[in-house]
Amino acid sequence: MDKVTRRKFIGTAVAAGAVAASGVNVIGQIAVRATGVGKDSLSKLGWDAFLPFVNTDFTFGQGENAVVLRLVDIKDSRPLGSKSRKVGQENFMLKFTGPGRSPLKDGTYSVNHFNLGDFDLFITAAGQQGRLNVYTAVINRVTTPE
């Protein structure tokens, strides 16, 4: 388990503050390093993995409770000129839209994508866009060894 230093804690708090200041109601998740040493599949998926799949479908949940959401946007949430850009820290937001009926509750879902495979992702409701529900996921992690 990685030791949480004061620097890491403050860096995470600053990133969370920047996201909060953007006016989006989100809850963050911190995954283990994206170098492939994480125990979960999401730890291997970074900005570069998601970017080519904007405007593709992701299945949240399984069986008859599964809901298909479309990844419609990915935004880097690191402030310009921040140290996090230089030290290999990833901070980005994924925006999904889905059917307006029966919105998903905030929580962690098993997700499947035709190319990225299976992983767990925490999403939170972020309002509506026309007839669609909007959901957000926040990824915040160190991508290079210290």
Side-chain angles (χ1 to χ4, degrees):
M1 182 170 199
D2 288 337
K3 179 180 174 187
V4 177
T5 65
R6 183 172 183 221
R7 177 174 281 159
K8 284 183 188 177
F9 179 79
I10 291 172
T12 302
V14 169
V19 170
S22 72
V24 177
N25 182 18
V26 297
I27 297 175
Q29 58 190 339
I30 298 175
V32 183
R33 297 183 204 291
T35 57
V37 297
K39 294 179 183 176
D40 64 305
S41 299
L42 181 61
S43 68
K44 298 174 185 103
L45 300 176
W47 171 275
D48 294 334
F50 284 101
L51 187 60
F53 299 107
V54 171
N55 293 318
T56 64
D57 292 339
F58 290 72
T59 304
F60 285 71
Q62 298 174 339
E64 62 186 51
N65 294 328
V67 175
V68 175
L69 301 181
R70 179 160 288 228
L71 176 62
V72 294
D73 196 13
I74 180 172
K75 288 191 179 183
D76 190 341
S77 55
R78 298 173 299 178
L80 289 175
S82 73
K83 281 180 102 175
S84 64
R85 289 182 181 271
K86 297 176 182 122
V87 298
Q89 187 171 350
E90 262 189 335
N91 308 98
F92 61 93
M93 296 184 293
L94 302 171
K95 178 180 174 184
F96 296 91
T97 58
R101 60 174 169 46
S102 310
L104 295 174
K105 295 181 180 179
D106 296 355
T108 301
Y109 291 86
S110 295
V111 179
N112 176 270
H113 183 265
F114 70 90
N115 191 282
L116 299 176
D118 297 318
F119 55 94
D120 292 334
L121 186 65
F122 182 88
I123 60 170
T124 185
Q128 288 195 301
Q129 183 177 321
R131 292 184 173 185
L132 300 173
N133 287 316
V134 179
Y135 304 92
T136 304
V138 177
I139 309 295
N140 179 18
R141 61 177 159 218
V142 175
T143 58
T144 57
E146 295 180 337

